[in-house]
Amino acid sequence: MPRSEAMDGARGPALAARIVHAWRKGDRSGLARTLIAALAALAAATFATSIMTGAADASLGNVLRWLAGGASGDQALSMRDRIIILDIRLPRAVLGMLVGAALAVSGVVMQGLFRNPLADPGLVGVSSGASLGAVLLIVLGSTTFGPVFALFGFYALPLGAFCGGLATTMLLYRIATRSGQTSVATMLLAGIALGALASAVTGVLVFVADDKQLRDLTFWGLGSLAGANWTKILTAGPIILLSLCVVPFLARGLNAITLGEAAAFHMGVPVQRLKNIAILSVAAATGASVAVSGGIGFVGIVVPHLLRLVIGPDHRYLLPASALLGGTMLIFADMLARTIVSPAELPIGIITAFVGAPFFLWVLLRGRSNMGL
Amino acid sequence: MHRFDFRRLRRWELALAAFALSTPFLLPALAPVSSSLVSPAMAETVEKPDTSRIVSIGGAVTEIIYALGEENRLVGRDSTSTYPEAAAKLPNVGYMRQLAPEGIIAVNPAAIVAIEGSGPPEALSVLKQANIPFTTIGETYDEAGILAKIRAVGAFLGVPDKAEALVKSVEQDLDAALADSAARPESERKRVLFILSTQDGKIMASGTGTAASGIIELAGAVNAAGKFPGYKPLTDEAIVEAKPDVILMMDRGGAHGMSADQLFALPALSLTPAAKSKALVRMDGLHLLGFGPRTASAIRELNTAIYGKKTNASQ
């Protein structure tokens, strides 16, 4: 079905009816297609709502008129509206969409690759490596990495995180690859070891950090979209988008790999190449996400699971659906974080856990009978 | 697959890695210098900022504004500004180190005055784009620091005369309190350990260069944890070694924190001189550590709590 149909608000009930109908019939692929259309509509709606809500009153109409080149009445007031919408809310929504999609899709790919529903980008050491990179910059920043800070200012930190995450993954990959074959099991175990090592080094650095650095560390580690701005989007966005564009080509291979690597290989899937691309995409997407928004947990495991319970394990549908739902979930959580205690703000991790966890449990309990989990 | 497996894959992989690693370096160069879609077309600095509607960040700054009698200009405060009670009724724009720019813009301030260390930097840069003047008030943990704070806030509000009057009264008050503390001979000074938190038995104590260390010294006592800078978790042995006569903690109100009995039951603390006399002092955090207009009374209160009612037992 065409997407424009789903975007049409009046068709909402009809769409829901179709999803329920397809679910009852057990028509997985029909259900998946319809669900993806519905998720796209939901994502668009959440995105729009997020731009329209916030602590401050800002008129979207004013801003749209200005963008369209129309005259605005009060110069100072419309300037304020423009800043709120174009420089505060819009970057947050865009970054939320990107990061949410990156985390959810990375989760799907990792789980497919390791054939383990509990795998998570954190397992391959991306997260711990990224935090090590950031911590290194914070603690040794001014002395050792002075030139880096001089060059990149605020963006030195995301950069450090990104490089740390990617470097850890590359190292891990080298460890797990023998004569051109990457052992998934070795990678998992080495990932745990490297993660522990990175955490230990981080721990040492935390101990030598002074108070100001410590506060930077804790807030950086909490995870938040509060620091969103266009420069961050231009920095992390292309990397995330590139990964998201590559991943759909892996869908068939990931489907085959569920039968085991040997079976997939005999089916004609270039298993080793698949692993290369998958691991690099995940490392780049997760590294970039962690770099611009800190460690936001929960999305990478919950979103893929939720969708697997509804549309089954076919990666062709799972990947786009996860990207849409992950982005939507993060924007929605961020919107709540910004409005619940307004004019102050809650850390987004609290919201994702509060909203996501009970819902997830409910779906799990309901779905258990049909899934045979 | 087997013939060109190793070499080619490796080169390919390296190429991708090189691309991914170089992207962040190339992109900021391409990104516009300002991270804003809206380029402010206004004068960068106004001769005299409008301070009719201000948001105050930092408990001491807010207290000073009230002490100057300029509280009618306040339209917002941060979560550390809890005194006087009227301040707590103002819209709360969040924790001083985690400000939300949109929340601040929402209360429509003409200017922001904040204590040193407020942030994060991203929030400040957005506020700068929104053309809201942001003034930072410096902080040191001593008498001069308090007076400098008052003068800075007064200058910001354009009421230097009121500020001087307040400086005079605060200075007299402080001098009197400090003279009391200073009269105590070195040999009689007690060792005070400030405990920030006792999360799962790990005791966070305050070393040198902290507000807690400053107030302990002003009250005529010795910071028992004076061997390291900043706040650090102490090992049990280090606590025993520090030999504190008195334990000082923030009073978080309600049922938060431990009772004195629970605290002194902790193995490390049970071996300190403080445990023998069950010497635990709790004080309101902002009053104790704010270094604002009420610090003289905090010094007196702490002094009394440590040494008892009679000042100067030495004859």
Side-chain angles (χ1 to χ4, degrees), chain A residues 87 89 211 215 231 277 345, chain B residues 35-37 97 100 102 231:
Chain A
D87 281 344
R89 290 183 196 167
D211 284 0
R215 290 192 197 103
T231 318
I277 301 175
E345 218 172 276
Chain B
S35 59
S36 157
L37 274 188
R97 300 182 202 285
E102 193 181 335
Y231 293 91

Side-chain angles (χ1 to χ4, degrees), chain B residues 101-146:
Chain B
E102 193 181 335
I104 293 180
I105 295 175
V107 297
N108 201 11
I112 300 162
V113 58
I115 196 78
E116 197 180 320
S118 303
E122 289 99 340
L124 303 191
S125 74
V126 170
L127 292 169
K128 197 175 163 193
Q129 274 159 27
N131 268 307
I132 302 173
F134 189 95
T135 306
T136 305
I137 306 291
E139 172 150 80
T140 52
Y141 304 118
D142 52 24
E143 182 181 14
I146 296 170

Side-chain angles (χ1 to χ4, degrees), chain B residues 29 38 65 94 102 106 116 142 209 213 250 312:
Chain B
V38 185
I65 292 172
E102 193 181 335
E116 197 180 320
D142 52 24
S213 191
M250 278 195 265
N312 275 345

Side-chain angles (χ1 to χ4, degrees), chain B residues 194-210:
Chain B
F194 176 79
I195 296 182
L196 183 67
S197 65
T198 52
Q199 287 257 288
D200 34 75
K202 258 203 345 195
I203 293 178
M204 283 284 265
S206 65
T208 55
T210 57

